[in-house]
Amino acid sequence: MPVHRLNPPDHGFSEAISAMTATQLRPEVRWSEIPSPGRMAPHTWAANAEVELHDEELASGRLVVLFDPAGDDAWDGRYRFVALVQAQLEPEFAVEAMLGDVAWSWVTESLELSDAAVHELGCTATRVVSQSYGALASRPSTVDVEMRVSWTPDETPGADVDLGPHFSAWSSMLAAAGGLPPAPPPVAPIAPAHRARAPRSEDPR
């Protein structure tokens, strides 16, 4: 006699993710779903993305959406977004003492412009300056920025959750790190505010 295994209920998580990924992002952002970490929450979803303009990769990142239908005290909610944003900036940013503040503004402005209401918002911005010496002195200096951002979406009791604005906000963070000005899709982008390239690094995990 065949044994039928039933998938456990996901309490609307699949529907919320389907609606979220239907959100139109700006054309420079290309994303793809990847296997999600299974131990961080009862339900998870993940994606990688790159920001490309004129065949040049300006920034890259990852997004993980966590969901616990019972809620999580550490998140103060049922959902938690965990985002990674990476970009390589111009060497001038090596002496920019306010780069951390600039990176934080990319986060807050992206959430605001996307109308993504959040709480428990946190961000760590890391700047890595690489400079070569001796036989490698001819290599140009590089400045990489890496932002790890997490937040909990606000939810209205009794209403369906809308994760689309948060997905859009993540894409805006990537675009900002890549030097692109704020521009809602489908507005055509203009030239980057700074020349940025995605860092050539291994998997940040």
Side-chain angles (χ1 to χ4, degrees), residues 165-180:
H166 304 273
F167 193 49
S168 178
W170 171 58
S171 73
S172 294
M173 295 175 199
L174 289 166
L180 298 178

Side-chain angles (χ1 to χ4, degrees), residues 107-116 118 121 151 166 169 173:
V107 172
T108 56
E109 291 175 6
S110 294
L111 290 166
E112 181 178 356
L113 290 173
S114 299
D115 291 326
V118 307
L121 172 63
W151 67 89
H166 304 273
M173 295 175 199

